[in-house]
Amino acid sequence: MLNGKKVLYSGMQATGNLTLGNYLGALKNWVNLCDEYECFYGVVDMHSITVRQDPTVLRQRARNLLMIYIAAGIDPEKNCIYYQSHVSGHAELAWILNCFTYMGELNRMTQFKDKAAKHADNINAGLFTYPVLMAADILLYQADVVPVGIDQMQHLELTRDVAQRFNGVYGDVFTVPEAYIGKVGAKIMSLQDPSKKMSKSDENPNASIYLMDDPDTIMRKCRRAVTDSEGQIQYREEQPGIRNLIDIYSACTGKTPQEVVGEFDGQGYGDFKTAVGEAVIGVLRPLQERYAELAKDKGYIDGIIKANAEKAGYAAAKTLRKVQRKVGFPDRIR
Ligand code: ATP
Ligand code: LTN
């Protein structure tokens, strides 16, 4: 608990341009939950360097991501939106948690296997211990709830296991967090291959809708989305392309997949795809407009960055001091 509320933590990597999957699977839920919880939203730039980055591009993307959080509707004066690298406690706690995490556990992580296969020339130790840094992010703020897409569930289970293991040795130090997975949109698939998740690192630009795509581009991508030859709009596994478009439409409009099926009963794929395109454009337009405004106000964003780094640092230091004492590090002499 913090200020009488439960704590929420989540974060995103500043790698690539955000997709509709990131928005519907994560960001949208963040916005919906932010009044109920005391929230920390990290731009997890330390995670980003597990894959080689151009420093100028990373810095720019990290700032863009921070502005997207705000443009999506998270009030940065009520919620702590900050850069992970501005709070040294993340690295310090990650080291300690590394000593409470087994190699066997990390070996099982599917994101590590995927990323190692993709970056075979740079399978570094950071990529391997990436989930431990993520556990540190969450546990440092004593988070009760962590809204993420389904692909992060395995990392969250690991975080819970490590927290419980640590608590088992030292008493109740960490809050054991729960994942929050949205009812719709938790796994948006690629528009070009509905067996793969929509991902910001996909090489095919038609596979993903980017949050900053203009309306014509969004419509074109929706109309080109891979479907099937069944000719019926039904929500079932045998029609993964249509099912994905139903998920997108449903997440954008708030209707259930069953309502969507009813609404388009008997209509052709062409009309449905156009409706999906319009729904996505309608959801992204206000975000894009707010983003354009924020990008003009350097002073305001800098002020947010400074104030929130301090706020996050304060909360982090409290947990870190407790953990250091528990594991037996000597007190500082003041
Ligand atoms: P990358 O392609 O670089 O691995 P990504 O697009 O998978 O990136 P992340 O930065 O790993 O995105 O994820 C940010 C958040 O968005 C996480 O909570 C993740 O679960 C969610 N997310 C990512 N892709 C999707 C998707 N296709 N559908 C729903 N949620 C998603
Ligand atoms: N691993 C996550 C990003 C991430 C995160 C976190 C999410 C890093 N730290 C803490 C929630 C809570 C990803 O790849 N999407």
Side-chain angles (χ1 to χ4, degrees), residues 261-275:
V261 170
E263 186 179 338
F264 290 93
D265 185 32
Q267 295 193 37
Y269 287 179
D271 289 344
F272 178 52
K273 286 177 168 178
T274 304

Side-chain angles (χ1 to χ4, degrees), residues 9-13 22 30 42 44 47 84 111 115 130-131 133-135 137-138 146-149 151-152 155-156 197 200:
Y9 191 94
S10 202
M12 275 192 204
Q13 295 194 69
N22 299 130
W30 297 7
V44 294
H47 277 101
Q84 182 189 33
Q111 183 172 307
K115 297 234 162 160
Y130 173 115
L133 180 58
M134 175 162 165
D137 299 341
I138 297 167
V146 183
V148 280
D151 62 310
Q152 293 302 311
H155 289 163
L156 216 75
K197 79 163 190 161
K200 53 177 138 69

Side-chain angles (χ1 to χ4, degrees), residues 17-20 191 205-222 280-281 284-285 288:
N17 295 321
L18 288 213
T19 70
L20 187 66
L191 296 181
N206 289 323
S208 310
I209 294 176
Y210 300 106
L211 296 193
M212 293 300 153
D213 276 348
D214 61 56
D216 288 348
T217 307
I218 295 173
M219 191 53 88
R220 184 170 42 78
K221 289 181 179 177
C222 287
V280 173
I281 292 167
L284 295 187
R285 186 179 292 122
Q288 294 179 351

Side-chain angles (χ1 to χ4, degrees), residues 65-77:
L65 182 56
L66 189 127
M67 289 193 290
I68 285 179
Y69 288 1
I70 304 173
I74 300 166
D75 180 345
E77 294 177 37

Side-chain angles (χ1 to χ4, degrees), residues 97 100-102 105 135-136 138-139 142-144 154-179 323:
L97 297 182
F100 290 82
T101 309
Y102 301 120
E105 289 177 310
I138 297 167
L139 301 180
Q142 305 286 359
D144 296 277
Q154 201 185 24
H155 289 163
L156 216 75
E157 291 294 344
L158 178 76
T159 303
R160 290 168 55 84
D161 290 345
V162 171
Q164 278 161 347
R165 185 170 306 144
F166 194 95
N167 287 351
V169 180
Y170 300 105
D172 271 348
V173 177
F174 294 123
T175 302
V176 180
E178 301 276 347
V323 171

